[in-house]
Amino acid sequence: MAEMSDSTLDKTTIIQQAIASCCGAIITSLFVTPLDVIKTRLQAQSNPFSKGKCFVYSNGLMDHICVCDNGDSKAWYKKTGHFKGTLDAFVKIIQIEGIKSLWSGLPPTLIMALPTTVIYFTCYDQLSEALKSRLGKDDEHIPVLAGSLSRFGSVTVVSPLELIRTRMQYSKLSYKQLYMCVSSKVAADGWLSLWRGWSSTVLRDVPFSAMYWYNYERFKKIICEEVGAHEPTFFVAFTSGAASGSIAAVITLPFDVVKTHRQTELWESETLKIPQRDCTSTWAVMRKIVAKNGITGLFAGVIPRLFKVAPACAIMVSTYEYGKSFFSHLNEKMKQHP
């Protein structure tokens, strides 16, 4: 497995890795967005969103906090429908509103997911390469270190963008108003206020990433040996991605629950002008959830999270690996026929 990924990496440039991860993010978003659009519509049907209320919209690649507009809004999540369940919603939305409605949440996803994914996957590959030359090709710590560092970096870069994007989405601000809003926030609370919510994202995403890449590389190696493949095929990458994504998703679920809780509380307090309660640290929120709903409260929504994360991880990593192997073969041909 080490030889295989090395040979692929030697043959792909950083730009090609970025293109491969970009294509992976687009394909993943196209596949997984309809699932979340349907989930949100079913949620809104049973419990209509009031103005200023938040819901989390996530497509396996990343989360969005959506802040609801006024009651007369024609937003995609407000459209009425009488759906009996997921399949019924899927069929009725296509029949009544057209197939495009299933991708209603796609634009904000792509704006945020593309830079995050490109930074994350490209950094992972570059760090793996750098660590292999230091620690040796078969060192088991490499995926853990590279996965954790690349995720830490991408979360830190994108955190202020997330805050700014949510502000724009809610207030429909012009760029000038947005600049004024951000600069007054920085003047009042300092630069660090732009990274609010960063710690709970890091606590969820860094352990997820470390476990995901460690298990992914192990599963890939085992399956390759089982099927006698020298290079990870699309099937090998897909299966390894789904399995490692599922394991990491279940273990890090409590942090996901806390992050969602903190983000929605923060945005509802901002938009509905409710004074923020002082219970904001990750551990304090965890204690509050356990006191209210018991330990199982920290694992709320495990099935929907698995349904989203497992296919998203599988599609993303297999299209990324496929993209890299496409470029490495292309580069080889170019060498042979300059």
Side-chain angles (χ1 to χ4, degrees):
M1 194 277 300
E3 292 77 23
M4 165 188 74
S5 55
D6 283 352
S7 61
T8 307
L9 260 182
D10 288 342
K11 299 173 200 161
T12 52
T13 65
I14 192 164
I15 302 292
Q16 289 171 336
Q17 287 163 22
I19 294 167
S21 54
C22 204
C23 294
I26 293 168
I27 292 165
T28 307
S29 301
L30 288 173
F31 272 101
V32 188
T33 296
L35 295 176
D36 225 67
V37 168
I38 288 169
K39 190 203 76 163
T40 305
R41 292 283 291 274
L42 287 168
Q43 197 182 333
Q45 173 182 288
S46 60
N47 184 15
F49 301 127
S50 54
K51 177 174 165 55
K53 271 286 185 189
C54 297
F55 64 90
V56 176
Y57 160 70
S58 158
N59 65 344
L61 276 181
M62 64 180 309
D63 307 330
H64 304 285
I65 292 287
C66 291
V67 184
C68 298
D69 306 318
N70 348 355
D72 60 354
S73 159
K74 289 188 173 65
W76 59 269
Y77 51 82
K78 290 274 184 172
K79 288 178 182 164
T80 49
H82 298 286
F83 311 127
K84 295 188 192 79
T86 305
L87 194 64
D88 186 51
F90 188 78
V91 173
K92 281 183 181 166
I93 289 171
I94 292 174
Q95 282 176 344
I96 299 161
E97 300 167 31
I99 199 159
K100 267 165 67 180
S101 284
L102 291 173
W103 283 274
S104 313
L106 192 59
T109 297
L110 290 180
I111 291 165
M112 290 294 293
L114 289 181
T116 318
T117 313
V118 169
I119 293 167
Y120 177 40
F121 276 80
T122 312
C123 280
Y124 174 77
D125 267 344
Q126 294 296 318
L127 281 166
S128 295
E129 273 304 278
L131 289 166
K132 273 174 192 163
S133 59
R134 292 279 172 91
L135 304 173
K137 288 178 180 176
D138 297 317
D139 195 301
E140 288 200 333
H141 299 103
I142 290 172
V144 177
L145 285 168
S148 303
L149 289 168
S150 54
R151 194 70 200 171
F152 186 88
S154 63
V155 165
T156 306
V157 170
V158 174
S159 219
L161 293 178
E162 176 97 23
L163 195 80
I164 288 164
R165 185 190 54 79
T166 315
R167 277 277 156 91
M168 282 186 88
Q169 198 180 328
Y170 177 65
S171 309
K172 310 269 188 294
L173 301 171
S174 70
Y175 286 107
K176 192 176 178 186
Q177 289 168 316
L178 179 72
Y179 174 75
M180 297 300 287
C181 166
V182 171
S183 53
S184 63
K185 187 171 170 60
V186 168
D189 305 326
W191 279 101
L192 287 177
S193 63
L194 293 180
W195 277 268
R196 191 163 184 183
W198 171 86
S199 61
S200 51
T201 312
V202 163
L203 274 171
R204 182 197 63 175
D205 288 358
V206 171
F208 179 96
S209 193
M211 279 182 271
Y212 172 75
W213 287 110
Y214 176 74
N215 285 321
Y216 174 71
E217 298 291 359
R218 275 189 63 197
F219 289 145
K220 194 166 74 168
K221 190 175 185 176
I222 292 163
I223 299 170
C224 275
E225 282 168 4
E226 284 292 314
V227 298
H230 295 296
E231 243 182 79
T233 59
F234 189 84
F235 167 77
V236 169
F238 192 92
T239 313
S240 309
S244 50
S246 302
I247 294 167
V250 171
I251 295 172
T252 58
L253 188 66
F255 293 111
D256 188 52
V257 171
V258 169
K259 180 177 186 278
T260 304
H261 187 94
R262 283 183 71 181
Q263 279 187 312
T264 50
E265 208 169 62
L266 168 68
W267 283 108
E268 282 172 11
S269 73
E270 295 245 340
T271 53
L272 299 170
K273 301 288 176 263
I274 305 165
Q276 182 77 27
R277 290 180 291 283
D278 49 18
C279 170
T280 52
S281 89
T282 300
W283 305 115
V285 174
M286 272 191 171
R287 282 199 300 274
K288 190 171 143 189
I289 292 168
V290 170
K292 194 178 170 189
N293 305 317
I295 289 287
T296 52
L298 291 176
F299 290 90
V302 65
I303 302 299
R305 180 153 155 84
L306 274 180
F307 270 124
K308 204 154 36 194
V309 173
C313 284
I315 296 164
M316 179 65 220
V317 82
S318 50
T319 46
Y320 178 60
E321 294 273 17
Y322 181 81
K324 283 197 304 181
S325 95
F326 168 80
F327 280 123
S328 71
H329 291 135
L330 186 75
N331 293 350
E332 205 142 83
K333 274 185 192 164
M334 301 281 274
K335 266 186 198 168
Q336 288 163 6
H337 311 285

